[in-house]
Amino acid sequence: MAKEEDLNSKIIGILLRLKEEWYDREFSKEELLDDEKRPGYLIITKFNHQKKSHTKNLVGGTKHPLVGSIIKDDLPHLLRDTLLYTDGAIVIGKDKVLHRIGARILNNVHPSTIAKRLQKEEEEDESRMLGFAQEVNTRHVNAIYASWIMKGTTVFTMSAKTGEIRMYKKGKIRYSTIPEEIQEREKPKKKIILVSEIKDRRRKKNPIPFPL
């Protein structure tokens, strides 16, 4: 669990730095960038190639030399430079193997189906129905769908239009740079304290005098 949280924090941290670099500062007229040149991401982690619910909902991907390699400390470089303008999903396995680059999510479920699962009322605006505070494109709709249908995965997006960053689990927005979108905060796991640890703490607080 700690490793998973570390990876989630690392990805969000990298995307936040990119957001600051590409969206949160003012550009001069000479360096003004259009939407097509700004980065947008869809990242799936904890992918399991042995699970049918994972593999049947993903198609395609580019033949990239990095596919099959293990991601170690080079994730910032990969997202910042190598995979900056990837069209499609970047898929990372539970073992941190880069499984696919540029994969497409097969979304055959209407947003209202997911909304019912999330116990949300149907609305005309599909984006709001799924919990988004603003209208979003298919990248974000597919991401929330993927996190719901591909059990056990965590999905991240960064909008190429606004730079907003989101993390999804089980069809819910668990992190967002728009705080009101967060549908359910994860509760920290309770640490199990062993009896031996309690005794050690007591000894440190009330040390036993050295015998004379």
Side-chain angles (χ1 to χ4, degrees):
M1 179 61 69
K3 288 183 179 179
E4 179 194 347
E5 290 174 355
D6 287 345
L7 181 60
N8 293 347
S9 299
K10 186 178 289 186
I11 291 174
I12 289 173
I14 296 167
L15 295 180
L16 283 171
R17 288 195 293 274
L18 287 170
K19 182 178 186 293
E20 184 178 345
E21 178 181 348
W22 290 84
Y23 297 90
D24 294 348
R25 69 180 180 91
E26 292 185 6
F27 289 93
S28 65
K29 289 182 179 179
E30 290 75 21
E31 62 178 354
L32 191 63
L33 304 174
D34 57 23
D35 288 347
E36 286 73 26
K37 291 183 180 178
R38 293 187 180 188
Y41 293 96
L42 198 169
I43 304 166
I44 300 173
T45 63
K46 296 188 71 180
F47 173 80
N48 189 340
H49 67 280
Q50 295 180 331
K51 280 190 176 183
K52 192 175 180 181
S53 64
H54 288 201
T55 56
K56 75 176 184 180
N57 289 291
L58 280 180
V59 294
T62 59
K63 291 182 179 180
H64 198 286
L66 285 174
V67 172
S69 61
I70 298 176
I71 295 174
K72 295 182 181 178
D73 298 324
D74 50 355
L75 187 58
H77 170 70
L78 287 177
L79 295 181
R80 174 63 185 81
D81 301 308
T82 312
L83 305 176
L84 185 60
Y85 297 112
T86 299
D87 184 18
I90 299 168
V91 184
I92 302 170
K94 293 182 70 174
D95 46 7
K96 292 191 177 180
V97 169
L98 191 56
H99 282 272
R100 299 193 194 187
I101 297 172
R104 187 165 61 88
I105 297 168
L106 291 177
N107 185 353
N108 299 317
V109 176
H110 192 273
S112 62
T113 304
I114 305 175
K116 285 178 183 176
R117 181 68 179 268
L118 301 180
Q119 297 181 341
K120 286 184 168 288
E121 294 182 6
E122 288 194 39
E123 297 184 27
E124 289 185 12
D125 188 328
E126 292 183 356
S127 298
R128 292 190 177 278
M129 190 191 302
L130 294 176
F132 297 101
Q134 55 193 214
E135 186 178 351
V136 296
N137 62 20
T138 53
R139 171 181 300 165
H140 308 278
V141 174
N142 286 343
I144 202 168
Y145 166 75
S147 73
W148 175 59
I149 201 70
M150 298 168 67
K151 307 297 183 187
T153 60
T154 303
V155 186
F156 304 82
T157 57
M158 178 174 175
S159 170
K161 188 174 182 180
T162 64
E164 302 299 349
I165 298 162
R166 300 174 178 92
M167 180 181 80
Y168 316 84
K169 282 187 178 184
K170 299 179 180 178
K172 296 182 179 181
I173 302 171
R174 294 294 183 86
Y175 170 86
S176 175
T177 45
I178 304 176
E180 59 266 31
E181 288 186 342
I182 300 175
Q183 296 164 351
E184 183 179 320
R185 295 185 183 274
E186 290 187 272
K187 295 179 182 178
K189 296 283 184 180
K190 290 184 179 179
K191 184 181 177 182
I192 299 173
I193 302 175
L194 301 175
V195 174
S196 57
E197 290 182 23
I198 297 173
K199 289 180 179 178
D200 287 339
R201 290 180 185 180
R202 286 175 179 170
R203 284 197 197 100
K204 288 176 182 177
K205 192 172 181 181
N206 302 299
I208 300 171
F210 190 80
L212 297 174

